[in-house]
Amino acid sequence: MDPDLLNSLSYNEQQQLMASLQDHEATNSINMNTYVIEHCFNACITDFTSKAVSKKEEVCLGRCVDKFTNYTRRLTLRFQENQATLGEKFQGPDA
């Protein structure tokens, strides 16, 4: 976020903006968790004849969640690298 833009807002506007951003972030987090749970459940839970989760299903769930977590971590790192590169381009070589 542009610091000049943030500084041009009143204290109350800054607080409202930050609250809105936090709400948005929380909603995104909940949606992402819901997606992972639904995706991994549908991919791994196949036997509904027992209340218990089988060892095969448990291993599948663990791998599914690990794969998603690793993918998200890697994607976040690449995004941060790209943002840093773009920031350097906009600031110029003397910044």
Side-chain angles (χ1 to χ4, degrees):
M1 180 169 290
D2 183 8
D4 292 331
L5 175 63
L6 191 58
N7 289 332
S8 70
L9 300 175
S10 71
Y11 177 78
N12 286 339
E13 290 171 330
Q14 289 178 12
Q15 294 303 312
Q16 289 174 342
L17 177 61
M18 296 311 266
S20 177
L21 290 173
Q22 288 173 347
D23 287 346
H24 183 70
E25 186 175 313
T27 300
N28 283 343
S29 180
I30 290 167
N31 289 340
M32 190 61 66
N33 287 336
T34 300
Y35 170 79
V36 171
I37 291 167
E38 185 176 329
H39 173 77
C40 292
F41 180 89
N42 290 337
C44 297
I45 305 299
T46 57
D47 181 10
F48 295 98
T49 60
S50 171
K51 289 182 181 182
V53 175
S54 72
K55 187 66 176 169
K56 178 182 173 185
E57 291 171 330
E58 188 177 329
V59 169
C60 179
L61 286 169
R63 287 183 181 155
C64 183
V65 171
D66 286 346
K67 189 179 284 189
F68 179 80
T69 302
N70 291 336
Y71 167 78
T72 302
R73 185 178 302 123
R74 185 174 180 152
L75 185 65
T76 300
L77 288 173
R78 295 298 173 257
F79 179 77
Q80 289 172 346
E81 289 171 359
N82 287 338
Q83 289 299 102
T85 301
L86 285 174
E88 290 172 4
K89 286 181 182 178
F90 284 115
Q91 290 177 355
D94 297 332

